[in-house]
Amino acid sequence: MAASSLLNSTFFHASSPPPPSPYNRKPISFPSSSSKSLFPPRSSLNPLILSIHQNSLITPNCSSNNNNNYLFAKQNRFFFFSSAALDSLLLLCASLALSISLFVGDVDSASAFVVSTPRKLQTDELATVRLFQENTPSVVYITNLAVKQDAFTLDVLEVPQGSGSGFVWDKQGHVVTNYHVIRGASDLRVTLADQTTYDARVVGFDQDKDVAVLRVDAPKDKLRPIPVGISADLLVGQKVFAIGNPFGLDHTLTTGVISGLRREISSAATGRPIQDVIQTDAAINPGNSGGPLLDSSGSLIGINTAIYSPSGASSGVGFSIPVDTVGGIVDQLVRFGKVTRPILGIKFAPDQSVEQLGVSGVLVLDAPASGPAGKAGLQPTKRDAYGRLILGDIITSVNGKKVTNGSDLYRILDQCKVGEKVTVEVLRGDHKEKIPVTLEPKADES
């Protein structure tokens, strides 16, 4: 129908009067019993005759402006055909041919219209692209949900109160993340790389090291465990890659280098120090917490956990818990649901308070009688009958290792085991004493 209307509008039937000619030229005669005369508009004729179909011919006429006009004769019917009309007809035929090829051929509809230009990437760029493509399926998006009550309707609603990142640890559905990502959650949801979402349950967590393990009931073919590397042999200047979900933007890749090693940060939950932390300048923003830090081979070397920034955004100083520390914690959480870590069983004063006294060490504020320190006889801080403050023992060393503050004490205890007997040297009054203490596990760890 469209083609018919195009022909009717482009061709002129021989029965209609020909266009007026400004030139007085002889008409063109065609040998036929019912031949008719058509006057060419301008200029001379080109000796070109094209044959299309049976008993058909096209004779071009050339005007003074070099635009070709064609005279079409078929079965004693004549048409006037311009070059622009011929171009339109050819374009229409090409469009129809393309449409038929798309419907008939087995071609992807999207790829049929996308022209992909080959990109020339450098070797390091290709390695980065390959690393992202291979490790992205191992990274997950974690949503922290909390139950809140509407102030007007009193309806109980489950609303997101935070989000973070994580990664698949094994084919059994264990997912590793930071403890502060799931802290205070009533429910947790894990979104895999293919955008499928599953409810997750908490297997266990370690508040002191800011590590948590979740589990999702997802098909094994959708779970791709991340390759685990080693953090003991890392070097400053080594290239690293961070994958996470900053500000809810899932699967974002940032690159950088290792800026420092053996840093120390405090746990957001307990304040207990985390040693041997990796410092990196790879951009780590809110939402990256719990995501993997990878080396150039795509192996896990740490968990992105914190940034140093006055504004809360990336300032080029990010911290990751080393995988050597994480590995042992995750194994205990998967097997026992908790981490067995030795404690002295004391509460101690802030470091600033001890500094004001002009001494160095850890001041014991409380030592419950049921705890290891209370059983061993360490003295807590208390008041006498007149309300005067009597300082308790000040711990100055453990197993011969000097203790100047709470971080030193935690660092020494991390190297000990449950049931181990240690020698605690304390300053009591004006003299020092050495007291043997048997370490016990922390109660209600999980």
Side-chain angles (χ1 to χ4, degrees):
M1 185 69 180
S4 174
S5 61
L6 177 63
L7 291 175
N8 291 335
S9 62
T10 307
F11 292 86
F12 296 93
H13 197 276
S15 62
S16 62
S21 174
Y23 300 95
N24 186 14
R25 292 182 180 272
K26 295 181 179 181
I28 303 173
S29 300
F30 293 89
S32 174
S33 58
S34 61
S35 63
K36 298 182 182 181
S37 296
L38 286 175
F39 292 89
R42 300 173 195 167
S43 188
S44 60
L45 299 175
N46 287 340
L48 176 62
I49 298 177
L50 302 177
S51 175
I52 51 174
H53 303 300
Q54 186 179 3
N55 300 325
S56 303
L57 57 86
I58 296 179
T59 305
N61 293 325
C62 295
S63 63
S64 59
N65 58 2
N66 295 327
N67 290 330
N68 290 337
N69 299 318
Y70 294 88
L71 188 65
F72 179 83
K74 181 177 181 181
Q75 296 178 355
N76 300 328
R77 301 175 67 186
F78 301 96
F79 302 90
F80 186 75
F81 189 14
S82 66
S83 60
L86 180 60
D87 294 339
S88 300
L89 180 61
L90 294 177
L91 181 61
L92 177 62
C93 294
S95 301
L96 291 174
L98 178 60
S99 301
I100 293 173
S101 65
L102 290 178
F103 282 108
V104 175
D106 186 13
V107 181
D108 185 8
S109 59
S111 61
F113 295 98
V114 177
V115 180
S116 59
T117 55
R119 295 184 178 274
K120 296 181 179 179
L121 301 179
Q122 301 297 325
T123 304
D124 60 334
E125 292 177 313
L126 290 172
T128 302
V129 171
R130 189 178 302 110
L131 179 144
F132 178 74
Q133 293 175 345
E134 291 178 353
N135 289 277
T136 295
S138 301
V139 183
V140 302
Y141 181 76
I142 300 175
T143 305
N144 183 327
L145 301 173
V147 174
K148 294 186 178 181
Q149 190 174 34
D150 188 275
F152 298 99
T153 64
L154 301 180
D155 292 337
V156 177
L157 304 175
E158 196 173 54
V159 296
Q161 68 172 355
S163 63
S165 307
F167 52 87
V168 179
W169 184 260
D170 54 28
K171 283 285 188 179
Q172 283 68 45
H174 292 107
V175 174
V176 179
T177 185
N178 285 137
Y179 168 71
H180 72 262
V181 171
I182 68 167
R183 187 178 184 181
S186 59
D187 285 301
L188 295 165
R189 293 199 180 109
V190 172
T191 303
L192 302 181
D194 61 355
Q195 302 304 313
T196 56
T197 301
Y198 299 90
D199 292 331
R201 63 178 181 87
V202 179
V203 175
F205 53 81
D206 183 3
Q207 300 182 49
D208 294 334
K209 299 301 180 183
D210 199 16
V211 177
V213 176
L214 312 177
R215 185 168 185 175
V216 294
D217 294 327
K220 290 187 177 182
D221 57 344
K222 289 190 175 185
L223 299 173
R224 183 182 295 184
I226 198 165
V228 180
I230 301 174
S231 58
D233 57 354
L234 297 178
L235 300 173
V236 174
Q238 183 175 334
K239 199 170 184 179
V240 292
F241 305 85
I243 303 178
N245 309 287
F247 304 106
L249 304 173
D250 61 338
H251 299 97
T252 300
L253 172 69
T254 57
T255 64
V257 297
I258 295 178
S259 306
L261 295 170
R262 289 177 291 278
R263 303 299 192 205
E264 183 177 292
I265 61 175
S266 298
S267 170
T270 64
R272 189 162 180 163
I274 306 174
Q275 294 86 25
D276 298 328
V277 174
I278 304 168
Q279 178 186 336
T280 177
D281 67 346
I284 299 176
N285 291 287
N288 273 112
S289 292
L293 186 71
L294 309 172
D295 61 11
S296 56
S297 65
S299 298
L300 177 71
I301 59 174
I303 301 180
N304 301 320
T305 186
I307 57 174
Y308 180 79
S309 172
S311 64
S314 175
S315 61
V317 182
F319 300 100
S320 299
I321 305 173
V323 69
D324 291 349
T325 301
V326 173
I329 296 173
V330 172
D331 289 342
Q332 291 191 56
L333 292 176
V334 171
R335 294 177 60 187
F336 308 112
K338 62 180 182 179
V339 174
T340 305
R341 184 172 289 114
I343 60 169
L344 272 177
I346 63 172
K347 293 181 180 179
F348 55 86
D351 297 335
Q352 295 82 358
S353 301
V354 181
E355 291 176 358
Q356 292 176 359
L357 297 176
V359 296
S360 176
V362 172
L363 174 62
V364 179
L365 293 179
D366 188 21
S370 59
K375 294 177 181 178
L378 267 69
Q379 298 296 321
T381 300
K382 55 186 178 181
R383 294 184 182 273
D384 60 11
Y386 300 98
R388 292 175 298 188
L389 189 66
I390 300 177
L391 297 179
D393 292 337
I394 299 177
I395 300 175
T396 57
S397 70
V398 176
N399 281 348
K401 298 178 181 179
K402 188 176 181 180
V403 175
T404 59
N405 50 45
S407 296
D408 291 341
L409 179 60
Y410 280 131
R411 191 178 301 109
I412 295 172
L413 292 177
D414 284 340
Q415 300 172 359
C416 301
K417 298 180 180 179
V418 174
E420 183 178 349
K421 182 177 288 188
V422 297
T423 301
V424 179
E425 187 178 74
V426 299
L427 177 63
R428 181 176 294 174
D430 56 356
H431 65 281
K432 290 186 176 182
E433 293 186 16
K434 291 183 178 180
I435 303 173
V437 180
T438 302
L439 301 179
E440 296 180 5
K442 183 178 179 180
D444 300 326
E445 181 71 26
S446 61

